[in-house]
């Protein structure tokens, strides 16, 4: 059974930084793209960032480009999202996705982790 477990969310002030992580069990991730999506209250889920299986290519949503960095450690079956210069509009539940291709979500999702940015 494939499981994705996010961690590291929380409350941070605007301008601050936060790193969230997603650990995958039940499947080796080294051959799969992975990504992060987010959903704010009352809004649709949106693409945030993605990384290819090798880590050689990354993709970012326009609203986070230059502020967020996605990375992965295949030995740990884990993907990370470093978020800098956070803004109140970054407040959302962040979901990890396994099988991401470009900006398109794959089949497997985590349960989400809340990130709240106060002004």
């Amino acid at each position: 059974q494939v499981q994705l477990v996010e961690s590291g969310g929380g409350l941070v002030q605007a301008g601050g930084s936060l790193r969230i992580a997603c650990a995958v069990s039940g499947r080796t991730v080294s051959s799969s793209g992975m990504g992060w999506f987010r959903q704010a209250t009352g809004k649709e889920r949106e693409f945030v960032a993605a990384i290819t299986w090798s880590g050689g290519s990354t993709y970012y949503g326009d609203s986070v480009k230059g502020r967020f960095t996605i990375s992965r450690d295949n030995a740990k079956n884990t993907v990370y999202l470093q978020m800098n210069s956070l803004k109140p509009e970054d407040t959302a539940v962040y979901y990890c996705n396994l099988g991401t291709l470009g900006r398109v979500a794959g089949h497997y999702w985590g349960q989400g982790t809340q990130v709240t940015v106060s002004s």
Side-chain angles (χ1 to χ4, degrees):
Q1 182 180 358
V2 179
Q3 286 190 316
L4 286 70
V5 179
E6 298 99 334
S7 61
L11 174 65
V12 63
Q13 289 189 332
S17 298
L18 204 61
R19 189 177 82 154
I20 57 178
C22 172
V24 180
S25 61
R27 176 172 166 173
T28 301
V29 304
S30 58
S31 60
S32 299
M34 296 194 70
W36 290 95
F37 293 74
R38 68 185 183 186
Q39 188 167 18
T41 303
K43 296 187 176 182
E44 293 186 353
R45 191 170 298 189
E46 67 169 343
F47 170 77
V48 175
I51 187 167
T52 55
W53 68 271
S54 66
S57 294
T58 55
Y59 308 87
Y60 295 96
D62 289 341
S63 60
V64 306
K65 202 171 296 184
R67 299 187 297 122
F68 290 12
T69 302
I70 188 171
S71 62
R72 65 189 296 160
D73 185 337
N74 288 342
K76 296 183 179 180
N77 254 24
T78 300
V79 65
Y80 304 95
L81 186 67
Q82 177 67 44
M83 304 181 287
N84 298 329
S85 302
L86 282 160
K87 304 175 181 179
E89 51 264 43
D90 294 317
T91 295
V93 177
Y94 284 71
Y95 296 92
C96 177
N97 180 258
L98 174 63
T100 315
L101 186 62
R103 293 170 174 80
V104 179
H107 181 72
Y108 298 101
W109 293 94
Q111 84 288 348
T113 187
Q114 177 71 46
V115 172
T116 302
V117 184
S118 63
S119 57

